[in-house]
Structures are given as C-alpha cells and as structure tokens.
Amino acid sequence: ALKKINFEIINNESLGILAPNGCGKTTLIKLLAGLIKPDRGLVKIKGRVLFSSALGAGFAGTLNGLDNIFINATLLGLSREQIKNSLDSIIEFSGLGDLINTPLENYSQGMKFRLAVSIGIHKKPDILVFDELHITGDQEFKNKCFKWIEEHKQNMAMIVISHDMKLIKKLCNNIMVMKDGAVVHLGDDLDKGARYFEKVLESET
C-alpha cells in the first residue's frame, strides 16, 4: 500500500498530509500507531502520541461520563493520580457540567466527542496525529479544539490528515501529497503542495 515513504518530524513542526481516498493514509496511520509492522524500513517515534482515532477508546454506554473518563484516560496511558489531578479541567473543557454523571448511552455523538477530546488533550501529547475524518460535534467545540491546537502546536509535533487545504494552511508548516501509496510532493511550500494535490485530484477523475 505504501512505496518509499520517507519523512521526519521534530518538535514544533507540523505536517499536513493530502491524498485522495485509497492512497495509503490509513495504512500509514496504522504503521505510526504500531498496529501493523512495515514489511521493510523503520518507523521511529519518540514521545507521547495521541491518535485522534483512539479518542473514546473503551467508552461504555452503561457507565456515566465520570467513569468513562477514568477508563479512557487509563487506556491512553494516564495514571490514576494524573486523572484525578486533571478531572476538573477535563470536565470544564468538555462543557458537559452535571451531565458528566449521566450514562454515556444518553449522550449525543457530539457530547461523546467532546468528552473524548477533553480526555485526550490531557494526555499532553508530544506528537498529535489528527485525522479530520474523526471530527464530529458542533462548530463551537470544533473551534475550541482548533484553538487548543494553535496554543500548543509549538510544544509538540503534529501530523494532520485532511482534504481541506485551508485547514492544512492554518495548522501546518510542511505538506506531503500522496498518490497511489507514494509521495509526489513533500516540502514547506504549502501553495506548491496545494497545486500538486489539485493535479492528483484531476488525474483521479
């Protein structure tokens, strides 16, 4: 699925990945997450990683939001002490208030997303792998998430997977365009990357 993928991201850098469906983005994320191993080559990651696809892992509908904070945060690698110290901040960021004591099965998808994101960011990731496809919820909370990213992106490395060039330009300082599992452009010229992506889309039609 992937051919000669080669890139490096360090702290303070953010890479936007643009690619049509079926070009290997999901495979790349699975490699970074350690869910699959490469047939050849190496994947090296140093630091705490937060994958947007892992948000809400372990959520149980019959348990309330508070219980689910402890379950999900534990799966993300936080200790019980860290969870207790972050509890008020998690609930405040989610905006759920007293609904935190309500069973999760009564939450809307947007409410579950708000809770999941609020837990995830308190992992204080060194590396954020952010797939736009996993964003749900109301626009106000989305804006809150983007504001958090803006405020913290100088202290972490970030990979943003999206079809939205405006989002890439807003969050990233490097861009990678993929086609058929291979990199066709990689660099810090975002406008040049956008033109490459347009060519890729044209070739797909």
Side-chain angles (χ1 to χ4, degrees):
L2 299 174
K3 308 161 191 173
K4 297 181 180 179
I5 301 291
N6 185 19
F7 66 91
E8 180 181 12
I9 304 174
I10 61 174
N11 196 35
N12 299 331
E13 287 188 345
S14 49
L15 174 67
I17 299 179
L18 287 164
N21 294 330
C23 283
K25 297 190 300 295
T26 301
T27 302
L28 179 59
I29 294 302
K30 287 182 178 179
L31 284 168
L32 295 173
L35 298 176
I36 57 176
K37 294 182 179 180
D39 297 323
R40 50 188 173 275
L42 291 172
V43 177
K44 290 186 177 181
I45 296 177
K46 183 179 180 180
R48 298 182 300 272
V49 188
L50 176 62
F51 293 88
S52 61
S53 57
L55 295 174
F59 272 1
T62 56
L63 300 179
N64 63 28
L66 193 62
D67 291 333
N68 276 287
I69 288 176
F70 281 89
I71 293 172
N72 182 237
T74 300
L75 290 174
L76 291 177
L78 276 70
S79 68
R80 192 167 185 83
E81 183 178 359
Q82 288 174 317
I83 299 170
K84 286 182 178 179
N85 291 337
S86 301
L87 201 55
D88 289 343
S89 181
I90 291 172
I91 296 171
E92 181 183 358
F93 193 92
S94 73
L96 292 172
D98 292 338
L99 291 172
I100 203 67
N101 296 307
T102 300
L104 211 69
E105 60 191 7
N106 296 325
Y107 283 23
S108 66
Q109 285 300 113
M111 291 165 66
K112 291 176 185 177
F113 175 73
R114 282 155 55 189
L115 181 60
V117 170
S118 302
I119 298 167
I121 63 174
H122 284 80
K123 183 179 180 177
K124 297 180 180 178
D126 300 305
I127 306 161
L128 174 63
V129 182
F130 173 74
D131 190 337
E132 184 191 18
L133 292 177
H134 298 128
I135 302 177
T136 59
D138 58 85
Q139 191 60 47
E140 182 180 354
F141 188 74
K142 289 179 184 179
N143 292 338
K144 190 175 185 178
C145 294
F146 290 139
K147 182 180 179 182
W148 181 89
I149 292 173
E150 284 284 353
E151 292 173 348
H152 293 83
K153 67 180 184 180
Q154 295 302 316
N155 299 314
M156 62 182 179
M158 183 167 59
I159 297 174
V160 178
I161 300 170
S162 175
H163 292 106
D164 186 348
M165 192 61 209
K166 289 182 179 179
L167 181 63
I168 296 292
K169 286 185 174 181
K170 181 178 180 180
L171 298 178
C172 303
N173 48 37
N174 293 280
I175 187 168
M176 184 167 83
V177 181
M178 296 174 60
K179 180 183 179 183
D180 298 329
V183 175
V184 295
H185 174 78
L186 177 61
D188 58 6
D189 189 331
L190 302 186
D191 289 328
K192 186 177 180 180
R195 292 193 295 271
Y196 266 92
F197 186 53
E198 288 176 2
K199 291 179 180 178
V200 169
L201 292 178
E202 288 172 1
S203 67
E204 294 285 311
T205 59

